[in-house]
Amino acid sequence: MSGVPSGYENSPSDARRRTRRSGHLDSGLPHTVLHSHGVRVSHQLLSLSHRPILTPMVEQDSFPEGQRENRGGGSKDASPAVGVRSLNTEVENVELSVEGTMPEWLRGTLLRNGPAKFDFDEQTVNHWFDGHAMLHKFEITADGVTYTNRFLESNAHTEAERDGRLSYGEFATDPCRDLFERAFVLFSPPEPTDNAVVNIDRHADRFRAMTESPMPVEFDPETLETLGPFEFDDDISGRLTTAHPHRDFERDVTINYVTQFGRTSRYLVYELDDEDTSREPIGSVEVDKPAYMHSFGMTDRYLILAEFPLVVNPLRLRFSSKPFIQNYEWKPDRPVRFNVVDRETGDVVTRLETDAFFAFHHVNAFEKDDEIVVDIQVYPDASIIDRLYLDDFRSSNPGFPELAESELRRYWLPVDGGEVSQRTLYEGAFDLPNIHYEEYNTREYDYAYGVSVHDDSPGGFLNQLVKVDVTSETATTWYQDGAYPGEPIFVPDPDADQEDDGVVLSVVLDAESERSFLLILDARTFDEIGRAEVPHAIPFGLHGQFARHL
């Protein structure tokens, strides 16, 4: 995710907010610790205390109709600030203590990406999204679960470690500059960062860490060693992209877009074949003030670019001395514009408008009759970005009221033009969504998984997992006091005959014990079936994926 600014007109902070409508570590096995300066030192594993914390299930009828909840012990007052502390320790192939059971079919690797280094010798970054990327690997075998973590050795990270401060501009933090450098930057803006902190993508057998600058970084999924920039063999340019490309599994292509800033700016959509490194343009959408779009939607025939009214003047961006996102302005009177692009011809088949809202993540989209159905997690405005600055996040009593104002919403877009309609599918905080992607992306579906906020902690950070039945509009949750789960990853049972046959994996931070664990839920019941405890606290991550075979 590449906070919104202070000191500009109509910043999200000042925007009017609307109320929601309706194996075992004491075994003595050797492992390796990789310290942040890159030196590997072999150690014997020390015994780690481990208390049983499998959560009991609370009966169905104890909660509102359509909801169930699993609940565990812990302190509700445990601060989420633990999740934005720097993690400087790297470990390799640590055998984790596992409680509960794992399905015999669950074999493979969970790869995660997210910020882990916020504090350097001479500078602390401003925003959660600015932390430097760390990769995490949970390998699940018949023998148990092992864990490895390693910094992504991007140019941005290597130079910051060397100099003690940033050399590249991040989402909401720019390098520290003296007076001469501040004047020079007006004529030569900082290079976009290759701190690929947001997501992980697979191109054939190559794995890439991704961020919102179009500079993915390749890494070895076995060792997490950084291999270098993933180079494209084409002349497509652009400063901004999304770290959420879509996959067409039938054609083995990846679809994404780049924003090209200029006198006339445009969103250029393209596809990338698994057998090639040359991106093939599909089409483009011209725009006067480009919007900040973290993701987009896709159906069998169409791409949906939802332009939220968080927009930038390209000239302001070109000559600004502010961090990237602080050049964007929230325009509450400007509607959201859905640009619908034909995947075959590249033509813009329709542009439809609706009332202003903001979102990070599309959930799914599909065609039904003469309409496109778009499911998306929405916020009333973009002030959530402001709330994720570290000054607030690390305060003694951080609050996140914007999360409680978010919801999962469905839009119906008439392809031939007409009025956009909408309906709330889940009236509660909902973000970091996931579905049974390979089988149900671009298709009508029943289940969406995400992170949410428990009713007992209004204004709190994301502290529960939720499974939403988008057809019946009911929800099932998993919650543990003092715990903060990350993005839920759905892994299907290879012999599944139902959409939700499988498990949900989530990396959870127990803020009270300052340790993280890999949580395994039965996706159908949302009951906890196992967990594997990590020897340290993993900072709040962003996205990742599960691979049966590397």
Side-chain angles (χ1 to χ4, degrees), residues 130-151:
D130 294 334
H132 279 193
M134 177 177 278
L135 303 173
H136 306 265
K137 173 190 171 186
F138 294 85
E139 186 172 5
I140 304 173
T141 69
D143 296 325
V145 181
T146 59
Y147 168 75
T148 299
N149 68 310
R150 197 163 182 173
F151 278 107

Side-chain angles (χ1 to χ4, degrees), residues 443-515:
R443 301 170 186 170
E444 195 164 1
Y445 72 117
D446 286 327
Y447 303 110
Y449 309 89
V451 286
S452 186
V453 178
H454 193 268
D455 290 342
D456 287 351
S457 52
F461 192 61
L462 300 165
N463 62 357
Q464 73 175 359
L465 293 167
V466 60
K467 173 188 178 182
V468 178
D469 185 325
V470 300
T471 303
S472 67
E473 298 179 15
T474 58
T476 309
T477 61
W478 177 93
Y479 170 79
Q480 175 181 306
D481 286 336
Y484 297 92
E487 175 192 43
I489 301 290
F490 175 79
V491 182
D493 184 331
D495 297 323
D497 55 14
Q498 300 291 329
E499 179 183 338
D500 58 348
D501 280 345
V503 299
V504 168
L505 305 178
S506 176
V507 178
V508 182
L509 172 62
D510 184 334
E512 185 176 24
S513 67
E514 299 189 3
R515 297 268 291 276

Side-chain angles (χ1 to χ4, degrees), residues 12 32 130 146 206 210 399 417 425:
T32 302
D130 294 334
T146 59
R206 301 170 68 182
M210 300 185 70
L425 301 179

